[in-house]
């Protein structure tokens, strides 16, 4: 049997909500979920307000027609619904504010991850370029050292013998021409010994000179390499300092956004409480 609705019976919330058009939507990411929650809240507010208006109109009709029992029921129902609506609004605001705070946290974490990725990539590229510069300089230094050593060898002059040795050679030749071979042999032996000693001394001196020149040249190359490494280290330290400064600015922006959101939400809660108190008066 189909039940007929009593025209004097207070309408239900389901009936009032049914008057509004159905809303359908797909699941959205957190970035747009807050806006979706706000839209859904506005839709639900409209449906509830429509129902409260209908119920208030019914109460007035009952009062005007002298149906005070029904008017009392409608009044109590209105108070219950208003209390329920107040609690629903508080819960909806709390859920939305939590979603807003989570949205700020997620946005900050994403920005923080992107910040670290960008800086890690930048610093890795700097390290790679620094290694290339050092490797290229070492290769150039090796080539320069080899060329320098070859120049030292090519510039080596013939030894200069002493006057004593040159004089002995002249005497040796003179005795040989005079066919005084015994004396010539004695002078030759003495001259050979002196020449061998002078050659050894000259060789040692030249080697010492070449060694000193090579050491000075190597020191120059080493100083150049040390200077390059120092510049690289300075650049690395400047990068770290810049990264820290950028990170501090990022964190400060996050704190500013978070504080601003908290202030807005606190103000919203205060306004909601004031509105509720005015409605109860």
């Amino acid at each position: 049997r189909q039940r007929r609705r009593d025209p004097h019976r207070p309408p239900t919330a389901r009936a009032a909500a049914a008057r509004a058009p159905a809303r359908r939507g797909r699941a959205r990411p957190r970035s747009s979920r807050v806006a979706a929650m706000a839209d859904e809240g506005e839709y639900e507010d409209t449906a509830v307000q429509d129902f409260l208006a209908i119920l208030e109109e019914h109460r007035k009709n009952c009062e005007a027609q002298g149906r005070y029992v029904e008017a009392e029921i409608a009044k109590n129902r209105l108070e219950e619904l208003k209390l329920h609506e107040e609690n629903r609004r508080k819960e909806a605001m709390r859920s939305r504010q939590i979603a807003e705070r989570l949205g700020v946290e997620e946005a900050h974490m994403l920005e923080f991850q992107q910040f670290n990725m960008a800086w890690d990539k930048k610093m890795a590229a700097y390290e790679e370029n620094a290694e290339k510069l050092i490797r290229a300089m070492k290769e150039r230094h090796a080539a320069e050292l080899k060329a320098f050593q070859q120049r030292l060898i090519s510039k080596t002059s013939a030894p200069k013998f002493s006057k004593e040795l040159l004089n002995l050679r002249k005497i040796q030749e003179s005795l040989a021409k005079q066919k005084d071979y015994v004396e010539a042999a004695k002078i030759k032996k003495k001259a050979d010994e002196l020449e061998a000693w002078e050659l050894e001394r000259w060789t040692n001196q030249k080697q010492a000179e070449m060694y000193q020149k090579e050491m000075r040249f190597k020191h120059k190359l080493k100083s150049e390499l040390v200077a390059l490494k120092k510049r690289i280290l300075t650049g690395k330290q400047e990068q770290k300092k810049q990264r820290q400064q950028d990170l501090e600015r990022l964190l400060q922006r996050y704190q500013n956004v978070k504080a601003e959101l908290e202030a807005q939400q606190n103000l919203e809660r205060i306004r909601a409480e004031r509105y509720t108190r005015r409605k109860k008066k």
Side-chain angles (χ1 to χ4, degrees):
R1 180 185 302 177
Q2 185 176 6
R3 180 180 295 178
R4 299 182 60 186
R5 181 182 179 277
D6 184 355
H8 301 296
R9 183 180 179 185
T12 62
R14 182 178 300 176
R19 297 183 180 182
R23 296 170 63 91
R24 294 180 298 174
R26 296 177 298 176
R28 303 180 183 182
R30 189 179 297 277
S31 59
S32 61
R33 201 174 301 167
V34 175
M37 290 173 64
D39 293 340
E40 292 171 2
E42 291 177 2
Y43 162 70
E44 190 170 352
D45 287 346
T46 302
V48 172
Q49 292 301 322
D50 289 345
F51 175 68
L52 290 175
I54 294 170
L55 189 58
E56 177 64 20
E57 182 181 357
H58 173 72
R59 184 192 64 77
K60 290 180 179 180
N61 290 336
C62 290
E63 179 183 332
Q65 296 172 12
R67 300 198 306 275
Y68 299 120
V69 174
E70 294 183 24
E72 179 67 20
I73 294 173
K75 185 190 74 170
N76 294 335
R77 180 61 175 158
L78 272 170
E79 292 176 353
E80 292 176 1
L81 287 176
K82 287 180 180 179
L83 179 60
H84 174 75
E85 174 64 7
E86 179 184 345
N87 293 333
R88 186 197 64 79
R89 283 176 177 270
K90 288 181 179 180
E91 180 60 26
M93 182 177 63
R94 189 183 72 84
S95 299
R96 177 171 50 77
Q97 289 185 348
I98 290 175
E100 288 174 349
R101 291 195 295 270
L102 288 176
V104 170
E105 292 290 340
E106 287 186 357
H108 170 66
M109 290 305 300
L110 178 61
E111 186 179 13
F112 183 70
Q113 291 174 357
Q114 292 174 343
F115 171 87
N116 283 329
M117 289 175 61
W119 265 106
D120 289 345
K121 183 177 180 180
K122 183 177 181 179
M123 296 182 78
Y126 183 86
E127 289 285 350
E128 182 179 357
N129 185 56
E131 291 177 359
K132 288 181 179 179
L133 290 175
I134 292 175
R135 185 166 56 251
M137 179 171 283
K138 287 182 177 180
E139 292 174 356
R140 178 171 60 83
H141 284 178
E144 290 179 358
L145 178 61
K146 184 178 181 180
F148 180 79
Q149 291 171 337
Q150 290 176 348
R151 286 198 302 272
L152 286 179
I153 295 173
S154 63
K155 289 181 179 180
T156 302
S157 58
K160 293 183 178 180
F161 297 109
S162 64
K163 291 182 178 181
E164 181 182 359
L165 176 59
L166 296 176
N167 188 44
L168 287 175
R169 292 302 182 191
K170 288 181 180 179
I171 294 173
Q172 171 190 332
E173 292 176 0
S174 177
L175 291 173
K177 288 180 181 179
Q178 295 174 9
K179 298 180 182 181
D180 189 353
Y181 300 120
V182 175
E183 288 298 324
K186 291 179 181 180
I187 297 300
K188 180 178 182 301
K189 180 181 179 183
K190 184 177 180 180
D192 290 343
E193 291 175 353
L194 181 59
E195 182 178 346
W197 179 82
E198 290 186 0
L199 279 175
E200 182 179 0
R201 185 183 64 174
W202 176 87
T203 302
N204 291 336
Q205 289 177 347
K206 287 299 179 181
Q207 287 179 347
E209 290 176 3
M210 292 174 64
Y211 177 79
Q212 291 297 327
K213 290 180 180 179
E214 184 175 329
M215 286 300 101
R216 286 194 295 269
F217 188 77
K218 286 182 176 180
H219 179 73
K220 175 187 174 184
L221 298 180
K222 183 179 180 180
S223 298
E224 187 178 353
L225 183 61
V226 169
L228 174 61
K229 290 182 177 180
K230 186 176 181 180
R231 291 195 300 272
I232 290 173
L233 179 60
T234 301
K236 188 185 299 184
Q237 292 172 344
E238 290 176 353
Q239 268 197 338
K240 289 181 178 179
K241 183 179 179 181
Q242 185 63 48
R243 179 173 183 168
Q244 182 63 30
Q245 291 175 349
D246 291 351
L247 177 59
E248 290 174 359
R249 282 194 289 267
L250 184 149
L251 294 176
Q252 187 60 52
R253 285 199 304 270
Y254 163 67
Q255 293 296 334
N256 293 341
V257 171
K258 186 178 178 181
E260 183 179 357
L261 178 62
E262 289 178 355
Q264 291 176 353
Q265 291 183 346
N266 288 334
L267 181 60
E268 183 182 17
R269 285 193 292 269
I270 292 172
R271 288 175 176 174
E273 291 173 359
R274 289 177 180 174
Y275 175 79
T276 301
R277 286 196 296 269
R278 286 198 302 268
K279 292 283 287 185
K280 288 181 178 179
K281 293 181 180 180

